[in-house]
Amino acid sequence: MPDIVEHPDRPYVGVRKTITMTTFGVVADRIAELIGWLAERGVGLAGAPFLRYHSIDMEADGLDVEAGVPVAAPVEGEGDIRAGVLPAGRYATVTHHGHPDQLAGVMDELLKWASGQGLKWDMTESGTTEHWGCRLELYQTDPRVQPDPAEWDTVVEFRLA
């Protein structure tokens, strides 16, 4: 069952790319690099690594996605690693236990639940593209500790209007 949570601004570092459904690795595989980059600078993580969906156009198979890692305080970026902030606000959230391939169904259920509750998203549409204020998948499980994706926990959070 989804919940609604309130979050303050959350600083992070991330790498943002335009991808397709078949090229997720271009951005998702950068999470380990981001963690290493922070470790080299003595900066610890302040939460779970994530993917942030800035825009989604399923008809054109185009996604503007960012891999990110939360930090306790802002950190200056370097190269294509940039500093950012997940915006404060109310988020509808649900936790999924299982393979990440099942997340599309989890997200569909969250969208249906929110619609049934009369909730509105921090999202605008332009043609076939959805532009999200903050739509996240937060990866709670360290794959070095639990290599079986069927045992992973992922929190899905969509910011409400």
Side-chain angles (χ1 to χ4, degrees), residues 21 24 53 56 58 94 96 98-112 135 137 139 154 156 158:
M21 290 299 289
F24 257 95
Y53 296 79
I56 301 168
M58 295 306 287
V94 66
H96 167 66
H99 200 286
D101 287 350
Q102 300 166 339
L103 284 171
V106 172
M107 290 179 194
D108 285 344
E109 288 299 315
L110 180 59
L111 292 167
K112 288 177 191 171
R135 178 175 170 154
E137 294 173 10
Y139 303 105
T154 306
V156 175
F158 295 178

Side-chain angles (χ1 to χ4, degrees), residues 52-99:
R52 179 179 182 181
Y53 296 79
H54 291 278
S55 66
I56 301 168
D57 185 342
M58 295 306 287
E59 189 173 303
D61 192 22
L63 302 110
D64 178 358
V65 179
E66 188 171 21
V69 178
V71 292
V75 174
E76 190 172 326
E78 176 181 83
D80 68 345
I81 297 173
R82 67 180 201 90
V85 175
L86 300 176
R90 292 179 342 124
Y91 288 76
T93 181
V94 66
T95 300
H96 167 66
H97 178 79
H99 200 286

Side-chain angles (χ1 to χ4, degrees), residues 1-12:
M1 181 70 152
D3 288 312
I4 297 176
V5 298
E6 185 86 25
H7 285 300
D9 282 344
R10 296 172 282 173
Y12 69 91

